[in-house]
Amino acid sequence: MIVRILFFSLVLTFSLTKLDAQAILRGNVYDQETGEPIAFGTVRLLNTDIGTNTDLNGFFSLGNVPAGQYTILLTYIGYDSLTQSVQLQDGKIAYRQLRLQPNAVNLTTVDVSAERERARSDIQVSQLTVTPKQIRSLPSTGGDADIAQYLPVLPGVIVSGDQGGQLYIRGGSPVQNKILLDGMTIYNPFHSIGFFSVFETETIRSVDVLTGGFNVEHGGRISAVVDIKTREGNKKRLSGLVSASPFQAKALIEGPIIPWNEDRGNSISFLFTGKHSYLDQTSPSLYAYAVDTSYYAFATADTTLAGLADDIGLPFSYTDWYGKLSMVGGNGSQLNLFGFNFVDAFDFAGLAAVDWTTSGAGANFTLVPPNSNIVMDGLISFSSYDITLKEGDAAPRKSGVTSFGAQLNFKYFGNNNQLNYGFEVNGFNTDFSFENFIGLDFEQRDFTTELSGYFKYKQEIGNLIIEPGVRLQFYASQSAFSFEPRMGIKYKASDNLRFKAAGGFYSQNLISTVNESDVVNFFVGFLAGPEESLFRPGTFDPTNHRLQKSAHAVGGVEYDVSRSSTLNVEPYYKRFSQLISINRNKLSATDPDFAVETGNAYGIDFSYKYESPAWYLWLTYSLGYVDRFDGEQTYFTIFDRRHNINALTTYQFGRDRSWEASLRWNFGTGFPFTQTQGFFQEIGFDQILVEDILQGNFDLGTILAEERNGGRLSTYHRLDASVKKRVELVGSSFMEIVASVTNIYDRENIFYLDRITNTRVNQFPILPSASIKIGF
């Protein structure tokens, strides 16, 4: 199969190379002062309708251009415009390296033309691009901005709790969302504390959040994709930063090994960063009031924890390292080598402990052949993830995933059209062991591979953009193919109004140990899909396949309200035709190891963005419905939040706008839960012979209502605030001081209610913090 796909790719590449009878213009655009690539800048040929935008690496390509003398016009926010003459010849490729000079005047004026231009040329259905600047604009818990805190601000994204909560995107559970770091899958991207991810904000170049209807470049997940890309190290000089807060300390250093050559455009640079949490050491004195031992008893299923003192602090710790070596060539080609190690530990008084480690390395590259209009990029990666949960005398739970991946992608640039195709190989080895509440063991040690190929064509026809694609997935352990057609379309009704739609079919073979019924679960393990027979919900009829599958349909309207503001509306529907989970509550060894459900997620998302020199405003409203059918009844999931509102505003003021104040408010209606109908005494078989069952005192059990998740918790709302001051020091060094308050009016937001003790367990109360950062 791999050989066939590779052969097809090579034949197609050779054929397309021969199609270019006309001229090709390509190039790279850089910042004159830093050497950083200019992403999504506008490149046009004057007095023609030929133009494009640069990509994330500052690269652009214009194919099938008639021969002749042209003037290139290059524009981007905050930079002086640039014009340059170029002579194009039939059958020849002209390459230009362009450098833009920052303009101090433009940096303080309102102009979102680059973003608008991208919206007009790309379909971007259910795609939200987050920049480091936007992440840093959020009032940050602990004084440190993090993508884990920003994602819940996006429409369609729900987080179930502050600690050990799960991330849900338009009805998809965490395992159904693919998280990528430089193209590599990260299985557990968020630390147990919930406020921080394994990703360092200072290294991020962009974050693309694809909440549904994504095209064929991505596969192996049935709900959403979060694609995080890191930047290169400083190409001109040695630089770095250090920061500290009560939550964590971090450091970053970067610089050139071979400085950027402005004439040839080549460089070699490095970047290395690390952070370590001290919350387990600082919280007993600073945040002891925030600890609820009942919460940890529930989260770890260890009731002995509930009686401990509340002055133990917040028992979370983590350490993250990430390094990158970047080699950039003079014609746009580049090679990046990267590696990481992420460690997380949750240790509650020695009675329950969760430890996990993720480590990995990879290489991604872009190859721009000098005599072809085909641009290639690829990735080779390897990673290992291991997690262990120890609870008193109980048998430990363990899960491990060792995986490798390889990708090769091709892009052909025409005039008003683009062709993308490629293939991917992924393999992972699972090692899982678990003992349920009655002592039944569940183990899986399996190795499987996934092979895939895709083809996508983009064509602009007047004001219409169409983007059909096909992805073919082969799952070796299931001996199953999945044919997945997908489509994206956009119609530009006017300069300010655009209509869009997307949809497709999706599949995956990865299963999580976290059940969709879990309010919180620190133990996040993974398994390959089952190889045993599965049955349709509520029947003994075998299923047609053993994969999780879904279909998406998304529509949308984009409207530019003014030069500074944009409104986006997107209705969506996801049909989960087969969902598979571990049957953790099996009562005998003959019961099936896996359970099957179906489900739906549908709703509508609204977002409004306003930007000016001093103000940034982001408003979202989501109306959502998420249900499942388990064979007996259709019920709303525990993460079904009917209404969700987010408001984020940032204001810069003072001399040189060195002060920044931010506010973020979130409102959400209550999550569903299954109501309690009554109680009974749990008498074990071993107790009948030695205890007086009429007069003895036994543990209480609960009788649940027949309607699953028929009740609703109270509404959630929280206000966060921060103030930031930047002080310029000698040369290029600076100091940044942040004071922040999470849950500023100390709202008691319920997390859950302990059924036995009738104890209410809330999410975090008010959490003030401060941080200091020094950069050079």
Side-chain angles (χ1 to χ4, degrees):
M1 175 58 65
I2 299 176
V3 174
R4 291 181 180 179
I5 295 175
L6 180 60
F7 178 74
F8 172 78
S9 299
L10 293 175
V11 170
L12 185 59
T13 301
F14 179 78
S15 301
L16 291 173
T17 301
K18 298 300 182 181
L19 292 178
D20 296 309
Q22 293 183 302
I24 298 169
L25 173 64
R26 64 166 57 139
N28 283 83
V29 183
Y30 297 102
D31 183 301
Q32 174 72 41
E33 295 184 357
T34 66
E36 283 292 299
I38 300 294
F40 312 123
T42 303
V43 182
R44 293 209 168 273
L45 300 183
L46 282 179
N47 302 318
T48 75
D49 60 355
I50 301 173
T52 188
N53 295 327
T54 59
D55 65 13
L56 198 63
N57 297 313
F59 178 80
F60 70 91
S61 182
L62 295 170
N64 298 324
V65 181
Q69 183 76 29
Y70 294 93
T71 298
I72 304 171
L73 172 63
L74 179 59
T75 59
Y76 188 67
I77 305 170
Y79 290 80
D80 291 331
S81 298
L82 176 69
T83 58
Q84 188 175 110
S85 297
V86 60
Q87 178 69 42
L88 301 181
Q89 302 178 24
D90 285 336
K92 301 292 184 179
I93 297 176
Y95 176 84
R96 291 293 184 272
Q97 183 186 119
L98 306 172
R99 297 184 292 276
L100 290 182
Q101 183 68 39
N103 186 315
V105 175
N106 288 338
L107 286 171
T108 59
T109 59
V110 182
D111 188 0
V112 291
S113 60
E115 186 174 345
R116 295 282 168 79
E117 191 63 32
R118 189 186 181 197
R120 291 165 183 162
S121 60
D122 291 344
I123 291 179
Q124 291 183 300
V125 179
S126 296
Q127 178 176 334
L128 299 160
T129 298
V130 181
T131 66
K133 179 182 177 181
Q134 291 171 335
I135 298 173
R136 285 190 286 264
S137 71
L138 188 73
S140 50
T141 300
D144 287 299
D146 194 280
I147 186 62
Q149 300 173 40
Y150 195 90
L151 286 175
V153 178
L154 303 179
V157 179
I158 298 293
V159 175
S160 59
D162 295 331
Q163 308 169 66
Q166 309 295 317
L167 182 75
Y168 303 92
I169 302 179
R170 281 188 178 171
S173 61
V175 72
Q176 295 155 9
N177 306 321
K178 177 176 276 190
I179 311 295
L180 299 173
L181 175 62
D182 291 327
M184 183 176 181
T185 300
I186 303 297
Y187 289 95
N188 194 354
F190 305 111
H191 289 296
S192 299
I193 182 62
F195 291 129
F196 299 101
S197 69
V198 299
F199 312 112
E200 174 49 52
T201 303
E202 303 295 341
T203 68
I204 291 176
R205 171 166 287 163
S206 73
V207 181
D208 286 328
V209 183
L210 312 175
T211 58
F214 48 91
N215 220 306
V216 293
E217 300 93 330
H218 299 290
R221 294 296 187 275
I222 60 173
S223 183
V225 176
V226 179
D227 189 3
I228 299 172
K229 293 183 174 65
T230 60
R231 61 180 178 84
E232 297 91 18
N234 194 311
K235 299 181 179 71
K236 287 198 166 185
R237 61 179 180 83
L238 185 69
S239 62
L241 61 84
V242 293
S243 73
S245 74
F247 282 68
Q248 66 180 16
K250 65 181 180 182
L252 179 144
I253 188 167
E254 57 181 315
I257 297 175
I258 297 179
W260 184 52
N261 186 306
E262 294 188 7
D263 295 327
R264 291 185 288 181
N266 61 304
S267 67
I268 299 179
S269 62
F270 75 93
L271 180 151
F272 186 78
T273 183
K275 64 174 180 278
H276 178 72
S277 167
Y278 294 101
L279 193 58
D280 55 335
Q281 301 173 44
T282 59
S283 59
S285 57
L286 296 177
Y287 303 116
Y289 65 91
V291 179
D292 191 329
T293 52
S294 298
Y295 164 79
Y296 300 114
F298 175 81
T300 61
D302 192 339
T303 56
T304 62
L305 304 184
L308 296 179
D310 288 343
D311 61 354
I312 62 170
L314 299 168
F316 303 97
S317 65
Y318 52 84
T319 304
D320 300 332
W321 301 97
Y322 177 83
K324 185 174 184 178
L325 180 68
S326 302
M327 292 161 273
V328 178
N331 69 336
S333 298
Q334 64 179 37
L335 172 65
N336 297 300
L337 308 175
F338 60 92
F340 55 83
N341 187 72
F342 309 135
V343 178
D344 185 275
F346 163 80
D347 190 347
F348 196 93
L351 296 177
V354 180
D355 298 278
W356 61 258
T357 300
T358 297
S359 57
N364 57 47
F365 67 89
T366 299
L367 179 62
V368 184
N371 299 313
S372 170
N373 201 21
I374 299 292
V375 176
M376 292 175 280
D377 66 81
L379 169 72
I380 299 174
S381 63
F382 173 85
S383 71
S384 176
Y385 169 75
D386 292 285
I387 185 170
T388 302
L389 168 62
K390 297 179 182 178
E391 301 173 281
D393 296 330
R397 304 183 197 179
K398 296 180 179 179
S399 179
V401 180
T402 302
S403 64
F404 71 88
Q407 301 176 25
L408 189 58
N409 307 298
F410 302 85
K411 295 179 183 178
Y412 169 82
F413 298 91
N415 188 3
N416 296 323
N417 57 60
Q418 182 176 321
L419 177 65
N420 294 50
Y421 58 97
F423 69 93
E424 183 177 355
V425 182
N426 289 303
F428 59 91
N429 183 72
T430 59
D431 186 354
F432 174 73
S433 61
F434 166 76
E435 183 180 281
N436 76 354
F437 68 102
I438 65 168
L440 291 177
D441 293 328
F442 186 103
E443 293 186 350
Q444 185 191 83
R445 291 176 176 83
D446 197 6
F447 176 78
T448 185
T449 55
E450 301 175 1
L451 312 178
S452 61
Y454 72 88
F455 178 95
K456 184 181 75 172
Y457 180 74
K458 176 183 176 181
Q459 178 67 57
E460 294 188 39
I461 308 172
N463 291 331
L464 182 67
I465 306 174
I466 58 172
E467 203 170 63
V470 172
R471 187 178 183 93
L472 180 65
Q473 290 267 158
F474 175 71
Y475 299 95
S477 64
Q478 307 292 344
S479 299
F481 283 93
S482 180
F483 178 72
E484 301 173 4
R486 303 175 192 175
M487 169 66 89
I489 187 169
K490 175 173 280 188
Y491 177 72
K492 296 175 282 188
S494 68
D495 287 342
N496 299 326
L497 180 64
R498 298 171 292 277
F499 298 93
K500 56 186 178 180
F505 296 88
Y506 307 86
S507 65
Q508 76 176 71
N509 191 38
L510 189 71
I511 297 175
S512 173
T513 62
V514 177
N515 192 284
E516 289 190 0
S517 299
D518 293 334
V519 177
V520 59
N521 194 324
F522 290 114
F523 181 77
V524 182
F526 297 94
L527 304 90
E531 298 180 22
E532 63 185 57
S533 296
L534 298 176
F535 302 96
R536 293 189 176 93
T539 73
F540 291 101
D541 299 329
T543 60
N544 296 327
H545 57 82
R546 297 186 295 270
L547 297 171
Q548 300 191 79
K549 288 196 173 184
S550 71
H552 299 184
V554 187
V557 178
E558 298 171 350
Y559 179 62
D560 300 332
V561 181
S562 67
R563 285 175 55 87
S564 307
S565 59
T566 301
L567 175 67
N568 188 73
V569 182
E570 288 189 355
Y572 66 90
Y573 174 72
K574 293 181 181 179
R575 171 60 181 170
F576 299 100
S577 57
Q578 183 159 290
L579 299 169
I580 305 171
S581 61
I582 299 176
N583 185 13
R584 298 184 305 188
N585 297 322
K586 61 186 295 186
L587 299 177
S588 71
T590 58
D591 289 342
D593 290 331
F594 297 90
V596 176
E597 293 185 324
T598 60
N600 302 280
Y602 52 95
I604 186 168
D605 292 331
F606 297 83
S607 63
Y608 173 81
K609 181 166 67 174
Y610 171 83
E611 288 184 274
S612 75
W615 287 93
Y616 174 76
L617 178 64
W618 173 251
L619 301 174
T620 70
Y621 167 72
S622 296
L623 171 67
Y625 297 80
V626 186
D627 65 48
R628 298 288 187 262
F629 175 68
D630 61 5
E632 296 182 0
Q633 60 179 302
T634 298
Y635 64 94
F636 291 115
T637 66
I638 62 164
F639 53 91
D640 172 64
R641 172 160 278 171
R642 187 68 65 246
H643 305 281
N644 194 50
I645 299 172
N646 274 287
L648 168 65
T649 183
T650 300
Y651 176 59
Q652 295 179 343
F653 59 97
R655 185 179 179 182
D656 299 326
R657 294 196 174 92
S658 60
W659 286 88
E660 182 178 280
S662 299
L663 286 174
R664 182 249 177 155
W665 184 69
N666 178 215
F667 172 89
T669 51
F671 289 125
F673 74 100
T674 302
Q675 295 169 307
T676 302
Q677 194 169 21
F679 300 93
F680 67 95
Q681 293 196 59
E682 290 186 319
I683 305 174
F685 291 110
D686 57 336
Q687 295 174 300
I688 294 177
L689 299 178
V690 297
E691 299 280 353
D692 185 342
I693 62 172
L694 298 179
Q695 300 184 22
N697 254 340
F698 302 97
D699 293 336
L700 277 181
T702 56
I703 301 173
L704 301 180
E706 292 186 5
E707 184 184 4
R708 188 170 176 180
N709 290 344
R712 291 272 174 175
L713 298 175
S714 57
T715 57
Y716 171 99
H717 53 88
R718 193 182 88 190
L719 178 66
D720 303 338
S722 69
V723 177
K724 184 189 305 180
K725 170 64 176 176
R726 182 183 174 97
V727 180
E728 301 296 336
L729 303 177
V730 179
S732 57
S733 60
F734 67 91
M735 179 172 63
E736 194 172 86
I737 302 171
V738 179
S740 66
V741 181
T742 300
N743 196 3
I744 195 169
Y745 50 76
D746 202 18
R747 161 74 176 180
E748 292 185 344
N749 289 304
I750 188 171
F751 202 179
Y752 69 93
L753 190 70
D754 189 304
R755 299 180 188 274
I756 303 298
T757 65
N758 200 35
T759 302
R760 173 181 171 133
V761 177
N762 293 322
Q763 302 194 46
F764 276 138
I766 184 171
L767 290 177
S769 185
S771 70
I772 183 170
K773 179 195 299 182
I774 298 176
F776 62 91

